[in-house]
Amino acid sequence: MRTGLSSFALTLAFLAPPAYAQIRAVVVGVSDYLTLDADLKGPANDARLMAETLVARGVTPDHITVLTSDPTGLPQGTATAQPTRAAILAALAAATEASTKGDTVVFTFSGHGAQAPDLSGDEGGGYDELLLPADAAGWKGAIGSVENALVDDDLQTWAQATLSKGIQVIGLIDACHSATGFRAVGGQGVAKVIDEAQLGIPDDVVPVTGTPAPPLSGEFVFLYSSQSDQRSFEYPMADGSWHGEFTLRLAQTLRD
């Protein structure tokens, strides 16, 4: 997914939507991985916090789908599912289908991110950005990608189809996109990234050079917890729970 801002006014629209507009949200928190040895402690809490925050801001609970392995404590009326690739894409498609021009679809993701060599040639930097659902596995040469990953191409396709209907899109991503540029920090934080070695990406896989995909067209804003050369972290709170730093601060700002 391209990392541009078309208009910060979209954020303001999200905070105070017109009375006639509808907001639908797909909230994803991946704490438990089925194949990868990469479990996290915070994303399920992040998903719960974001659902609570959206409801507090006036979003109707039955317009929110939360994909998490731990649905306890969610606002009554929210739909739930497991945070697998198929379920996430289905929830995004359903939100788009149910929305009309002037509505807003919010997509939030807390979990691991990664990068993999781009074999389609549509990435200017040579690497696909990945979000890793619960059923993400290792590199599969037959498909030239990480099995069951959400590739930026997938999200680009969904976002453009949504924007083409006149629907506003807001993406809030609490995950790393790269294992490089790490600057050590103290404390008990855990980085939310999986590197190429852990995903089993062979060293001899070379990115393909080609024509970059066209940028998105429409009203959208994407907010990321880190740049492509940084890491994002989750931390333990005073009460013993864990949260992603980005999600926690974002929720506090929206509540205030």
Side-chain angles (χ1 to χ4, degrees):
M1 182 182 292
R2 306 300 173 263
T3 58
L5 290 178
S6 67
S7 172
F8 192 71
L10 260 295
T11 304
L12 301 182
F14 170 45
L15 299 179
Y20 58 84
Q22 298 291 323
I23 294 177
R24 291 176 176 80
V26 176
V27 179
V28 182
V30 188
S31 288
D32 302 318
Y33 283 86
L34 303 177
T35 300
L36 298 171
D37 182 16
D39 289 354
L40 294 166
K41 297 180 180 180
N45 297 328
D46 291 341
R48 188 178 303 109
L49 178 61
M50 284 306 304
E52 293 170 348
T53 302
L54 290 168
V55 171
R57 294 298 308 179
V59 181
T60 305
D62 62 9
H63 284 179
I64 301 173
T65 299
V66 183
L67 298 103
T68 174
S69 58
D70 180 12
T72 59
L74 290 172
Q76 187 174 2
T78 57
T80 61
Q82 291 297 307
T84 62
R85 170 187 161 83
I88 294 170
L89 290 175
L92 289 172
T96 298
E97 179 65 24
S99 300
T100 59
K101 184 177 181 179
D103 289 349
T104 298
V105 175
V106 181
F107 172 56
T108 80
F109 181 93
S110 178
H112 277 301
Q115 286 188 329
D118 169 42
L119 300 185
S120 65
D122 65 347
E123 297 291 338
Y127 281 81
D128 283 318
E129 295 173 353
L130 312 178
L131 299 179
L132 301 180
D135 56 342
W139 177 264
K140 299 297 180 183
I143 62 175
S145 185
V146 173
E147 186 174 14
N148 292 328
L150 278 176
V151 184
D152 51 10
D153 298 348
D154 299 324
L155 297 177
Q156 180 94 351
T157 298
W158 165 76
Q160 188 56 71
T162 305
L163 294 167
S164 295
K165 291 181 62 176
I167 302 166
Q168 301 171 344
V169 173
I170 295 175
L172 308 171
I173 309 300
D174 194 347
C176 298
H177 295 288
S178 175
T180 60
F182 174 62
R183 182 172 296 174
V185 297
Q188 304 177 59
V190 173
K192 301 167 72 173
V193 66
I194 296 180
D195 61 26
E196 293 184 31
Q198 189 172 351
L199 290 172
I201 300 176
D203 294 336
D204 60 356
V205 176
V206 179
V208 174
T209 301
T211 302
L216 291 176
S217 175
E219 294 185 305
F220 65 92
V221 58
F222 301 141
L223 303 181
Y224 292 89
S225 56
S226 59
Q227 298 294 330
S228 61
D229 60 348
Q230 299 173 331
R231 285 187 174 185
S232 301
F233 288 83
E234 60 173 21
Y235 295 95
M237 304 294 107
D239 62 2
S241 65
W242 285 65
H243 279 287
E245 178 76 6
F246 174 77
T247 297
L248 183 65
R249 302 308 175 194
L250 177 63
Q252 290 174 338
T253 299
L254 289 173
R255 286 180 178 273
D256 292 343

